C-alpha cells in the first residue's frame, strides 16, 4: 500500500470515481472510521481534486506532488475552457418601501432586501412628552414581559428558539420595539413582537422588579455627566412636554404602590398604543408576505380618536435659558444650543442641518484611530488643536418632530478658561453664519454626510428604524437617492442662512462644573442678542 501511494504521488494521478472506489477498497483512501497514515491522507485529498476547473500550466511553478500546478493565466483574463457563470443582473431601480394602511390606522411598511435575515420593528408615537411620572422609562424596562398570551419565561424561550434578538428603546416622542432574526422565522418573530407590545399584562411583581431597576438608573444618573447634561439642556431649552424627564424621577415613581403604577401603565398603553400612532416596519421581507400576517396580529388595535391624541400630547415651546449644575467629576461639561425651528418636519432645514453638523464635526483630544476621524472639521482644527486643556469638543443636536436643539458641546479640565472657550465656540457659529468658510470645507462636509448616510444604511436594523420613523412622521419614506441629491444641492448661502436664523433664537446653555453665573449674559449675550 505505501508503494501504491508513492506511485500515485509521483505521477500526479487524477483518479476517476471508479478508481477512487477501488482505492478505498485497497486502503489508499480511507473509508468510514478508518485512519490513514500521513502520506495516504495527502493522497486522499489529491484523489478528490477536480480537473474540471482549468488545465494546469506546464510552464513555471513547482509542485510538491511532482509536475506543475501553477495557472499562468492573468487575473484580468478568463480561464481557458471554463464557462463563465451567468451573473444575476442587478436591478436598475432602487429598493422601494411599500406601505399598507389598515382600517384601524396602523401602517405596515416593508422593504425587501433579499437577505437571509430580517429586522422587524414596531414604532409608537408616544414618549416622555406624554407624561411626567417616568412611565416611558418603565415601559422600556417592561418590554417583552408577560402578556395575556405568554409568560415572560415563554417569550424568552421562544426568542431563544428562533435564534432571534430583541431590543426596545424609549424616547421623548417615540417608543421602539424590535426583533431581528432569520428570514424564515418572520411569522413567529412578528407574533412574539406584536403580542409583547399590544397585550402586556403588567403583573405587580414584575412592575415592582422593573421599578427597582428604573430607580437604580435614576440614582446612577448623578454619576453620568453626559446623561445629566442631556436632561439639563432640555429643561433649559423647552417648556412643556420636551422638558419632561426621560429618566424617571425617583420622587414620583418611588412613592406609588405597585397596583397603582400597573394601572397607570395599562391606561397609558390603552390610550397611546392605538392605530394611527403605530407603524410596523420590516426590512428583509416581501410586502405580500408580511401584510396578511400583520393584519391578523394587529386587527385588535383600536383606532386613535383625534380628540384623545391632542389631549395626551403636552405641547412644547422653545424658551431658551440657562441651567448650571455643580461639579460631578474633575471636568467641566457644557452645551450651547439654539432652536432648530420646524424640527424634522422642516425638510430642507433638516438637510442643511446635517451638513452643518458634519462641518462642525469634532471629537476627543485623543484618538486611537488616525486620519479620517474628523480631524479636518472646524471644531477639531480650531478648538482641539489649539487648546490642550479641552478633552472633547463636538457638535450637539437633539431634534424632534417640530422643533429641536442644535449647537456645540465641550468637556474640559479644571483650570481651563471657560469664558475663552465659550467665546471661541460662539465665534465658530458666527463665522459660519457670515459665510466665512471655504468651498472645500462645504464639499468635505457634504461628502462626509453622504458617506455616513450610506454607511448607516448597510445595516438592516438601521434601515428598519429609518422606515419606521419616517412613516410615523411623514406617512411615507423618502428615497435615499432623493435625499442624497438634496444634500448635494446645499450651497454656502443655504448653510449661512440656516445658522444666521438659528442664532437669532434665545441661546440655551447647560453646564456642569465651575462656571460663572455671568457667562450667559457677559459672553454669550454679547455675541448673540
Amino acid at each position: 500500500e505505501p508503494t501504491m501511494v508513492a506511485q500515485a504521488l509521483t505521477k500526479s494521478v487524477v483518479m476517476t470515481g471508479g478508481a477512487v472506489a477501488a482505492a478505498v477498497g485497497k486502503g489508499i483512501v480511507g473509508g468510514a472510521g478508518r485512519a490513514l497514515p500521513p502520506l495516504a491522507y495527502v493522497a486522499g485529498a489529491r484523489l478528490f481534486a477536480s480537473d474540471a476547473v482549468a488545465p494546469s500550466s506546464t510552464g513555471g511553478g513547482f509542485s510538491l506532488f511532482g509536475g506543475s500546478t501553477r495557472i499562468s493565466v492573468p487575473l484580468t483574463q478568463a480561464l481557458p475552457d471554463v464557462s463563465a457563470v451567468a451573473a444575476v443582473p442587478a436591478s436598475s431601480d432602487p429598493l422601494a418601501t411599500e406601505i399598507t394602511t389598515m382600517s384601524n390606522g396602523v401602517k405596515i411598511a416593508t422593504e425587501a432586501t433579499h437577505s437571509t435575515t430580517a429586522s422587524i420593528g414596531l414604532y409608537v408615537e408616544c414618549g416622555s412628552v406624554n407624561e411626567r411620572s417616568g412611565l416611558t422609562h418603565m415601559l422600556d424596562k417592561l418590554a417583552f414581559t408577560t402578556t395575556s398570551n405568554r409568560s415572560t419565561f415563554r417569550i424568552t424561550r421562544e426568542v431563544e428558539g428562533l435564534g432571534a434578538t430583541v431590543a426596545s428603546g424609549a424616547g421623548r416622542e417615540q417608543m421602539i420595539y424590535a426583533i431581528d432574526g432569520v428570514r424564515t422565522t418572520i411569522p413567529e418573530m412578528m407574533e412574539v413582537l406584536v403580542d409583547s407590545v399590544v397585550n402586556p399584562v403588567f403583573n405587580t411583581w414584575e412592575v415592582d422588579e422593573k421599578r427597582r431597576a428604573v430607580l437604580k438608573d435614576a440614582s446612577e444618573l448623578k454619576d453620568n455627566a453626559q446623561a445629566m447634561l442631556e436632561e439639563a439642556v432640555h429643561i433649559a431649552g423647552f417648556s412643556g412636554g420636551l422638558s419632561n424627564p426621560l429618566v424617571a424621577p425617583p420622587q414620583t415613581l418611588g412613592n406609588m404602590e405597585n397596583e397603582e403604577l400597573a394601572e397607570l401603565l395599562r391606561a397609558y398603553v390603552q390610550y397611546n398604543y392605538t392605530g394611527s400612532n403605530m407603524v410596523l416596519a420590516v426590512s428583509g421581507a416581501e410586502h405580500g408576505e408580511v401584510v396578511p400576517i400583520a393584519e391578523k396580529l394587529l386587527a385588535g388595535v383600536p383606532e386613535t380618536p383625534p380628540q384623545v391624541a391632542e389631549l395626551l400630547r403636552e405641547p412644547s415651546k422653545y424658551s431658551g435659558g440657562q441651567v448650571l449644575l455643580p461639579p460631578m467629576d474633575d471636568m467641566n461639561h457644557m452645551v450651547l444650543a439654539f432652536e432648530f425651528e420646524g424640527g424634522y418636519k422642516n425638510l430642507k432645514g433638516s438637510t442643511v442641518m446635517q451638513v452643518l453638523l458634519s462641518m462642525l464635526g469634532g471629537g476627543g483630544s485623543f484618538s486611537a484611530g488616525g486620519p479620517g476621524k474628523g480631524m479636518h472639521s472646524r471644531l477639531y482644527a480650531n478648538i482641539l488643536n489649539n487648546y490642550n486643556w479641552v478633552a472633547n469638543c463636538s457638535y450637539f443636536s437633539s431634534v424632534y418632530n417640530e422643533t429641536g436643539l442644535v449647537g456645540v458641546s465641550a468637556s474640559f479640565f479644571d483650570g481651563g478658561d471657560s469664558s475663552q472657550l465659550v467665546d471661541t465656540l460662539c465665534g465658530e457659529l458666527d463665522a459660519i453664519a457670515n459665510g466665512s468658510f471655504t468651498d472645500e470645507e462645504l464639499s468635505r462636509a457634504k461628502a462626509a454626510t453622504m458617506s455616513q448616510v450610506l454607511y448607516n444604511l448597510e445595516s438592516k436594523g438601521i434601515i428598519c428604524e429609518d422606515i419606521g420613523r419616517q412613516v410615523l412622521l411623514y406617512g411615507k419614506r423618502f428615497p435615499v437617492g432623493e435625499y442624497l441629491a438634496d444634500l448635494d444641492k446645499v450651497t454656502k448661502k443655504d448653510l449661512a442662512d440656516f445658522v444666521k436664523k438659528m442664532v437669532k433664537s434665545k441661546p440655551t446653555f447647560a453646564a456642569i462644573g465651575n462656571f460663572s453665573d455671568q457667562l450667559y449674559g457677559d459672553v454669550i449675550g454679547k455675541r448673540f442678542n
Side-chain angles (χ1 to χ4, degrees), residues 118-341:
S119 293
I120 309 172
L122 201 50
Y123 299 82
V124 188
E125 185 76 14
C126 68
S128 60
V129 294
N130 301 83
E131 52 87 24
R132 300 180 181 182
S133 303
L135 301 182
T136 303
H137 196 172
M138 281 292 298
L139 286 171
D140 183 25
K141 293 292 185 183
L142 284 162
F144 300 98
T145 56
T146 303
T147 72
S148 55
N149 302 304
R150 290 171 169 82
S151 65
T152 302
F153 179 74
R154 179 180 169 184
I155 291 173
T156 303
R157 293 303 298 269
E158 285 189 18
V159 171
E160 289 176 346
L162 294 171
T165 57
V166 296
S168 64
R172 297 185 187 275
E173 290 186 319
Q174 294 173 346
M175 296 288 297
I176 301 173
Y177 301 86
I179 185 167
D180 294 3
V182 181
R183 182 170 180 168
T184 54
T185 62
I186 286 176
E188 292 83 358
M189 290 195 295
M190 286 177 58
E191 185 178 344
V192 172
L193 175 66
V194 173
D195 188 33
S196 299
V197 177
V198 175
N199 304 310
V201 172
F202 302 127
N203 290 319
T204 53
W205 59 88
E206 289 182 316
V207 169
D208 184 55
E209 177 188 355
K210 299 303 180 182
R211 174 165 52 180
R212 289 197 298 270
V214 166
L215 292 176
K216 182 181 178 183
D217 289 347
S219 67
E220 292 174 349
L221 186 65
K222 64 180 184 296
D223 300 320
N224 187 336
Q226 292 303 320
M228 183 71 82
L229 195 63
E230 182 81 16
E231 292 287 330
V233 76
H234 283 81
I235 294 172
F238 295 106
S239 61
L242 287 173
S243 66
N244 294 343
L246 188 56
V247 178
Q251 64 273 19
T252 303
L253 203 62
N255 294 327
M256 293 186 192
E257 296 293 332
N258 292 334
E259 186 56 45
E260 179 188 3
L261 181 54
E263 284 298 326
L264 282 175
L265 290 166
R266 294 184 191 110
Y268 186 87
V269 169
Q270 178 185 353
Y271 290 109
N272 287 286
Y273 286 41
T274 54
S276 59
N277 284 348
M278 301 177 71
V279 170
L280 177 71
V282 182
S283 170
E286 297 290 343
H287 195 67
E289 298 174 0
V290 172
V291 171
I293 303 168
E295 286 181 332
K296 292 179 181 178
L297 295 172
L298 294 165
V301 175
E303 295 182 21
T304 307
Q307 64 276 14
V308 173
E310 293 177 6
L311 290 172
L312 289 174
R313 187 179 181 87
E314 185 179 356
S316 300
K317 183 180 179 181
Y318 180 80
S319 57
Q322 173 180 240
V323 170
L324 298 180
L325 299 174
M328 295 176 60
D329 48 34
D330 59 350
M331 298 186 69
N332 302 289
H333 312 272
M334 53 151 284
V335 169
L336 171 63
F338 299 85
E339 182 188 16
F340 169 31
E341 190 176 341

Side-chain angles (χ1 to χ4, degrees), residues 28 50 127 239 244 296 376 397 450:
I28 299 176
S50 171
S239 61
N244 294 343
K296 292 179 181 178
H376 295 288
S397 70
M450 293 179 190

Side-chain angles (χ1 to χ4, degrees), residues 403-440:
T403 186
L405 293 168
V406 175
V408 290
S409 68
S411 298
F412 60 95
F413 298 101
D414 280 336
D417 189 337
S418 59
S419 296
Q420 182 185 19
L421 177 60
V422 170
D423 187 59
T424 306
L425 290 172
C426 291
E428 287 298 316
L429 294 173
D430 208 21
I432 297 175
N434 293 325
S436 301
F437 54 91
T438 65
D439 292 334
E440 182 183 3

